């Protein structure tokens, strides 16, 4: 009887900690190479004075090279300042273990696209592609994120990375601080 209870507890523990399968928005393998991108994941959501700011992450792998796709969406009826990415842009991730991981932007300037919607809001959508550094890539698998800093062309913005984020946009609950721990295996 003891063995049956032990086996049952082991199986329940194993299934509770099993990793969920990777979900991709793009997964292509052809004669040119391979390319896959994970689904977008809400990392930050800010509302202040009628302005909205969202940060989404997705991980990509191009012929074995993992990268981070960062998408910033700003929405406001007031003027929206452009936050441009350039060759000097970086994403700094401070981990809960005290280490800092730096991701470097590819050499491509991008200031995003401004779109006006039917409700009178201006929407600026900007996407940047960031490369992982070999020396601290492994740290992302070991520790949750506590703070994220994005260095744009002209300014720097800091974000507190929450353990649990309930989106006011769609009501979906995410766990941004463990994003890399849960998903980086999908692009290795």
């Amino acid at each position: 009887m003891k063995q049956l209870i032990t086996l049952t507890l082991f199986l329940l523990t194993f299934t509770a900690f099993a990793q969920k399968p990777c979900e991709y928005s793009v997964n292509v393998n052809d004669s040119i190479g391979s390319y896959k991108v994970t689904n977008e994941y809400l990392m930050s959501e800010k509302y202040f004075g009628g302005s909205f700011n969202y940060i989404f992450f997705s991980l990509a792998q191009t012929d074995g090279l993992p990268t981070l796709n960062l998408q910033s969406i700003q929405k406001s009826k007031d003027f929206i300042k452009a936050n441009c990415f350039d060759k000097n842009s970086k994403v700094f991730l401070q981990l809960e273990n005290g280490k800092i991981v730096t991701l470097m932007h590819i050499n491509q300037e991008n200031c995003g696209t401004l779109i006006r919607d039917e409700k009178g809001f201006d929407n600026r959508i900007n996407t940047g592609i960031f490369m992982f550094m070999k020396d601290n890539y492994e740290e992302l698998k070991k520790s949750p994120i506590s703070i994220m800093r994005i260095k744009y062309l002209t300014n720097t913005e800091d974000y507190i990375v929450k353990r649990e984020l309930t989106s006011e946009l769609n009501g979906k609950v995410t766990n941004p601080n463990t994003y890399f721990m849960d998903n980086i295996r999908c692009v290795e």
Side-chain angles (χ1 to χ4, degrees):
M1 186 67 175
K2 273 185 171 179
Q3 292 172 343
L4 182 61
I5 292 172
T6 304
L7 180 62
T8 304
L9 285 173
F10 174 75
L11 290 175
L12 288 174
T13 304
F14 181 73
T15 56
F17 290 105
Q19 294 179 341
K20 61 183 180 179
C22 297
E23 296 179 16
Y24 299 101
S25 60
V26 176
N27 192 356
V28 177
N29 287 310
D30 60 18
S31 60
I32 298 173
S34 65
Y35 180 69
K36 56 185 169 182
V37 179
T38 61
N39 292 336
E40 289 185 341
Y41 195 87
L42 180 64
M43 293 297 292
S44 177
E45 186 176 65
K46 287 184 187 178
Y47 298 107
F48 186 77
S51 295
F52 307 90
N53 188 0
Y54 306 97
I55 301 289
F56 291 93
F57 278 4
S58 63
L59 293 167
Q61 183 196 70
T62 308
D63 296 328
L65 177 68
T67 55
L68 172 71
N69 295 340
L70 183 149
Q71 184 177 57
S72 169
I73 301 174
Q74 298 169 285
K75 183 175 186 170
S76 180
K77 288 193 177 188
D78 297 329
F79 175 76
I80 299 176
K81 183 177 115 182
N83 285 329
C84 301
F85 292 119
D86 72 340
K87 65 181 180 179
N88 297 317
S89 294
K90 295 179 176 105
V91 173
F92 301 98
L93 302 170
Q94 182 169 341
L95 306 181
E96 288 183 6
N97 66 9
K99 297 192 178 179
I100 296 177
V101 174
T102 303
L103 288 79
M104 308 290 289
H105 190 262
I106 62 172
N107 193 7
Q108 178 181 353
E109 191 169 312
N110 184 0
C111 292
T113 305
L114 188 64
I115 301 167
R116 187 170 196 82
D117 67 18
E118 65 279 353
K119 295 180 183 177
F121 281 93
D122 286 332
N123 299 275
R124 182 171 298 280
I125 302 167
N126 194 3
T127 302
I129 300 171
F130 293 85
M131 297 179 293
F132 296 96
M133 308 291 283
K134 283 187 178 182
D135 59 340
N136 53 21
Y137 177 79
E138 291 296 319
E139 291 298 324
L140 292 170
K141 298 177 188 177
K142 299 176 188 174
S143 180
I145 307 165
S146 58
I147 300 172
M148 172 176 54
R149 173 174 282 175
I150 302 173
K151 181 185 178 302
Y152 295 100
L153 174 65
T154 56
N155 71 325
T156 302
E157 291 190 20
D158 292 333
Y159 301 87
I160 302 297
V161 180
K162 297 180 180 180
R163 290 188 188 279
E164 184 174 282
L165 173 63
T166 303
S167 173
E168 293 186 32
L169 179 66
N170 59 14
K172 189 175 178 181
V173 177
T174 60
N175 302 98
N177 72 325
T178 59
Y179 175 74
F180 290 104
M181 294 171 66
D182 298 337
N183 293 290
I184 206 160
R185 65 185 168 76
C186 297
V187 294
E188 292 185 306

